């Protein structure tokens, strides 16, 4: 749970006091919020083994994306998936990921380094875990002692004795640490657990009150979302099986093949998952294939396809009859897609490990009845699902991402037959990646028209006919959709 959202109060404070008084007031407001959150939590007791696993998992989250995948890899290695320790560590792990930027600021101030990225990666992970537990939880005495002495010994063993010794010395300074924000923007980061530039952009887009609802949604743990593979099972069959596994599944009203339930869930040992009867996919992502509506026998191109959620869903809608050409450049994600397709019994997909912008040269032009372009993006709509993402995204890199999206749109347009359709989607909330790109595209391509979307989510006020899913309105990840049709000639 995030700290109490008090952005309006902080802004009001800044408007009525002088410089030093403002900073003192901001620091007090932030510390009061931290203490209030800590007081609302039960005592935290983590065994020594659990603390070591946490440090290893936080380190792995730098190497494997997304962080949920890193967690599954490490937890599987230690044999704790689906156990009580899994549930305890998952909670602390996501808490650490959610506050990553703030914890790195703490580490920077405690160590005096310009950036924690220059620290030993094991030390960096240990400081992140320690700062989260000390500042934002109520660890019992045993946990606190193990966090200092046990983790110092652990670091000495896995990296170097000097690293363990350094951590041990810094830990004492952590116990006395108090945040001292140097500006209103920095205070807002502590209170909203989001970077200042993103707070500003969302307040401009939604207004202050609704933006706070969005920020709350970002700081709540989302339900697990799966899509039923209708080639192998019915929704009712999957729901009943999940109930037998102790879950309380809810079928989505907007996308009826999507089922949601509380985590954690050990997918690796689930017969439903291993048997290809369900696949992990967010509701808003699953809606995309329904909107594009591929039919049996069609030729479909899926650009940026891996790890295959939409690819497999389109194959289901096509009754495994026709042809899907799937492009991606990430070998690990492609391997996951191959596994998913094999489990689900899908045989109509041909995979190209290739930049999607080359697809027209490989396949030819005007060959596709349907083209899916779920473009690479900042992924700002997935912050609740990928909590550390909020600290990785940078506003200054947006122009480069938009350029890539436009180049992929140009390639996608060349693939569509006259009368065929192209669906452009992103999981971003930023208008430059969404409505801005579609306006640009339609100005350059009069042979395309916008097909108005009337549901299952909300029409975008920035470009009528396009659609947005919102975390705080719809209980799913943020998503944008624009359906384009190439006019028939003559």
């Amino acid at each position: 749970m995030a700290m109490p959202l008090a952005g309006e109060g902080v802004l009001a404070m800044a408007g009525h006091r002088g410089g030093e008084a403002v900073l003192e007031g901001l620091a007090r407001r932030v510390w009061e919020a931290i203490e209030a959150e800590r007081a609302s939590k039960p005592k935290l007791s983590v065994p020594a083994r659990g603390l070591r696993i946490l440090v290893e998992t936080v380190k792995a989250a730098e190497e494997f994306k997304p962080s949920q995948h890193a967690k599954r890899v490490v937890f599987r290695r230690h044999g704790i998936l689906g156990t009580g320790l899994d549930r305890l560590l998952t909670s602390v792990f996501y808490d650490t990921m959610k506050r990553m930027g703030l914890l790195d600021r703490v580490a920077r101030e405690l160590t005096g380094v310009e950036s924690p990225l220059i620290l030993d990666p094991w030390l960096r992970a240990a400081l992140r875990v320690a700062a989260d537990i000390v500042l934002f939880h109520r660890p019992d005495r045993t946990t606190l002692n193990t966090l200092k002495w046990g983790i110092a010994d652990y670091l000495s063993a896995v990296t170097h004795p000097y690293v363990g010794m350094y951590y041990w010395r810094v830990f004492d300074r952590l116990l006395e640490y108090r945040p001292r924000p140097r500006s209103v923007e920095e205070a807002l980061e502590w209170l909203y657990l989001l970077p200042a530039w993103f707070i500003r952009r969302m307040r401009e887009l939604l207004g202050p009150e609704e933006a706070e609802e969005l920020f709350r949604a970002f700081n709540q743990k989302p339900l697990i979302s799966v899509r039923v593979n209708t080639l192998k099972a019915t929704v009712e069959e999957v729901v009943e099986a999940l109930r037998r596994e102790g879950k309380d599944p809810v079928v989505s009203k907007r996308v009826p093949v999507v089922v949601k339930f509380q985590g954690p869930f050990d997918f690796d040992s689930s017969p439903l998952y291993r048997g290809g009867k369900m696949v992990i996919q967010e509701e808003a992502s699953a809606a995309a294939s329904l909107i594009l509506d591929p039919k049996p026998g069609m030729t479909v191109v899926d650009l940026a396809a891996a790890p295959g959620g939409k690819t497999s869903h389109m194959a289901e809608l096509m009754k495994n009859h026709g042809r899907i050409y799937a492009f991606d450049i990430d070998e690990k994600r492609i391997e996951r897609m191959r596994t998913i397709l094999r489990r689900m019994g899908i045989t109509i997909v041909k995979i190209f490990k290739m930049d999607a912008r080359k697809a027209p040269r490989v396949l030819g032009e005007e060959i596709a009845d349907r083209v899916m372009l779920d473009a690479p993006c900042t992924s700002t709509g997935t912050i609740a699902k990928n909590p550390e993402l909020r600290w990785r995204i940078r506003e200054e890199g947006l122009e480069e991402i938009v350029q890539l999206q436009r180049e992929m749109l140009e390639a996608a347009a060349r693939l569509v037959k006259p009368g065929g359709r192209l669906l452009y989607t992103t999981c971003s909330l930023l208008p430059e990646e969404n409505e801005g790109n579609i306006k640009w595209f339609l100005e350059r391509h009069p042979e395309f028209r916008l097909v108005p979307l009337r549901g299952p989510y909300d029409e975008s006020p920035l470009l009528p006919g396009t659609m947005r899913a919102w975390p705080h309105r719809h209980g799913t990840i943020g998503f944008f959709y624009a359906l384009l049709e190439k006019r028939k000639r003559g």
Side-chain angles (χ1 to χ4, degrees):
M1 187 66 188
M3 284 183 261
L5 297 183
E8 292 299 328
V10 169
L11 293 173
M13 180 189 302
H16 291 89
R17 297 189 187 178
E20 274 307 313
V22 168
L23 293 179
E24 287 297 325
L26 292 176
R28 185 168 58 253
R29 190 65 168 271
V30 167
W31 186 244
E32 287 172 354
I34 290 174
E35 288 191 311
E37 182 180 12
R38 278 204 323 225
S40 69
K41 293 180 176 178
K43 277 281 187 181
L44 179 68
S45 180
V46 184
R49 178 182 179 228
L51 292 173
R52 293 193 297 270
I53 292 174
L54 271 175
V55 172
E56 183 181 342
T57 308
V58 171
K59 179 180 179 293
E62 292 188 344
E63 304 163 18
F64 304 105
K65 301 291 183 291
S67 59
Q68 309 101 292
H69 179 61
K71 182 181 76 74
R72 283 196 296 272
V73 168
V74 177
F75 284 21
R76 184 187 306 120
R77 184 184 305 145
H78 289 276
I80 65 168
L81 283 173
T83 66
L85 187 58
D86 177 347
R87 290 186 285 275
L88 173 64
L89 299 188
T90 293
S91 175
V92 180
F93 172 69
Y94 282 133
D95 207 62
T96 302
M97 293 292 102
K98 184 171 65 179
R99 294 189 169 88
M100 186 72 73
L102 301 176
L103 302 177
D104 282 354
R105 183 178 297 161
V106 174
R108 190 170 63 243
E109 293 176 12
L110 291 176
T111 61
V113 298
E114 185 176 340
S115 167
L117 296 179
I118 69 175
L119 297 172
D120 176 276
W122 285 100
L123 174 62
R124 183 166 59 246
L127 287 174
R128 287 168 171 171
V129 170
D132 182 70
I133 290 176
V134 169
L135 289 176
F136 299 101
H137 294 270
R138 294 198 302 131
D140 61 23
R141 185 174 296 277
T142 301
T143 300
L144 203 58
N145 286 338
T146 306
L147 193 58
K148 177 181 178 179
W149 297 89
I151 295 301
D153 289 343
Y154 178 61
L155 295 179
S156 296
V158 297
T159 176
H160 193 282
Y162 287 161
V163 174
M165 186 183 305
Y166 183 75
Y167 166 85
W168 183 84
R169 293 175 60 186
V170 170
F171 189 88
D172 284 339
R173 296 201 290 273
L174 174 61
L175 296 176
E176 304 299 323
Y177 179 84
R178 297 290 183 274
R180 297 195 63 81
R182 296 162 295 181
S183 65
V184 172
E185 290 73 23
E186 209 171 282
L188 289 172
E189 289 186 340
W190 280 96
L191 295 167
Y192 289 126
L193 310 184
L194 292 161
W197 73 267
F198 186 71
I199 294 169
R200 172 179 52 81
R201 292 294 304 274
M202 292 301 102
R203 287 166 62 91
E204 292 170 355
L205 182 62
L206 293 170
E209 290 185 6
E210 189 174 2
E212 290 208 8
E213 293 178 23
L214 175 66
F215 302 153
R216 287 190 180 93
F218 278 153
N219 289 305
Q220 292 171 353
K221 187 177 178 181
L223 295 174
I224 291 174
S225 178
V226 298
R227 192 191 80 245
V228 176
N229 175 15
T230 54
L231 297 176
K232 284 193 170 186
T234 64
V235 173
E236 292 74 18
E237 178 185 346
V238 170
V239 166
E240 284 304 314
L242 287 169
R243 284 177 179 154
R244 288 195 297 271
E245 294 189 37
K247 296 300 175 183
D248 186 18
V250 176
V251 178
S252 166
K253 295 179 180 178
R254 297 184 178 91
V255 183
V257 292
V258 166
V259 179
K260 301 181 184 182
F261 52 90
Q262 289 279 359
F265 186 78
D266 184 0
F267 282 95
D268 291 336
S269 65
S270 168
L272 289 172
Y273 181 70
R274 289 188 289 105
K277 293 184 177 181
M278 69 181 188
V279 62
I280 302 168
Q281 190 176 24
E282 292 297 317
E283 177 195 279
S285 176
S289 299
L290 299 178
I291 292 167
L292 186 57
D293 192 26
K295 304 293 187 185
M298 281 187 170
T299 297
V300 177
V301 183
D302 190 356
L303 305 173
K310 296 178 187 64
T311 313
S312 60
H313 193 190
M314 289 190 292
E316 287 176 44
L317 296 174
M318 295 164 68
K319 308 297 183 187
N320 212 13
H321 177 62
R323 174 59 76 182
I324 298 177
Y325 298 106
F327 286 76
D328 209 282
I329 59 173
D330 189 315
E331 182 58 44
K332 289 184 178 179
R333 288 167 63 88
I334 287 174
E335 195 53 45
R336 288 166 60 195
M337 176 162 64
R338 288 193 180 103
T339 300
I340 287 170
L341 295 174
R342 186 169 57 250
R343 282 176 175 169
M344 299 180 73
I346 289 167
T347 58
I348 64 170
V349 178
K350 180 176 176 58
I351 298 172
F352 293 85
K353 184 177 181 292
M354 184 182 296
D355 188 322
R357 290 171 289 186
K358 298 178 181 178
R361 275 185 275 164
V362 175
L363 301 176
E365 300 197 6
E366 296 190 341
I367 56 89
D369 300 287
R370 299 285 187 269
V371 175
M372 174 75 75
L373 175 53
D374 184 23
C377 67
T378 57
S379 303
T380 45
T382 71
I383 285 174
K385 181 184 172 187
N386 303 299
E388 79 285 5
L389 173 68
R390 67 190 76 199
W391 305 111
R392 288 207 314 264
I393 50 178
R394 297 285 184 271
E395 190 174 22
E396 55 268 23
L398 188 56
E399 186 176 332
E400 184 178 342
I401 293 173
V402 168
Q403 180 59 34
L404 172 61
Q405 291 163 344
R406 292 183 175 185
E407 290 173 6
M408 294 182 76
L409 263 170
E410 289 285 11
R414 292 165 60 192
L415 293 166
V416 183
K417 292 178 179 178
R421 290 186 171 187
L422 158 64
L423 181 66
Y424 175 80
T425 68
T426 78
C427 54
S428 171
L429 299 179
L430 300 175
E432 294 95 322
E433 300 180 82
N434 298 326
E435 295 89 354
N437 275 341
I438 298 304
K439 290 175 183 177
W440 170 88
F441 179 83
L442 289 172
E443 288 173 1
R444 290 173 59 90
H445 291 277
E447 73 274 22
F448 278 86
R449 72 177 186 92
L450 192 63
V451 180
L453 297 175
R454 305 303 183 198
Y457 303 111
D458 294 349
E459 185 175 62
S460 167
L462 304 179
L463 181 58
T466 63
M467 185 170 67
R468 280 177 174 256
W470 292 95
H472 62 294
R473 295 183 191 175
H474 306 115
T476 185
I477 58 174
F479 226 78
F480 171 80
Y481 313 79
L483 184 60
L484 302 155
E485 183 175 84
K486 183 177 278 188
R487 304 177 196 274
K488 294 182 179 179
R489 298 189 183 98

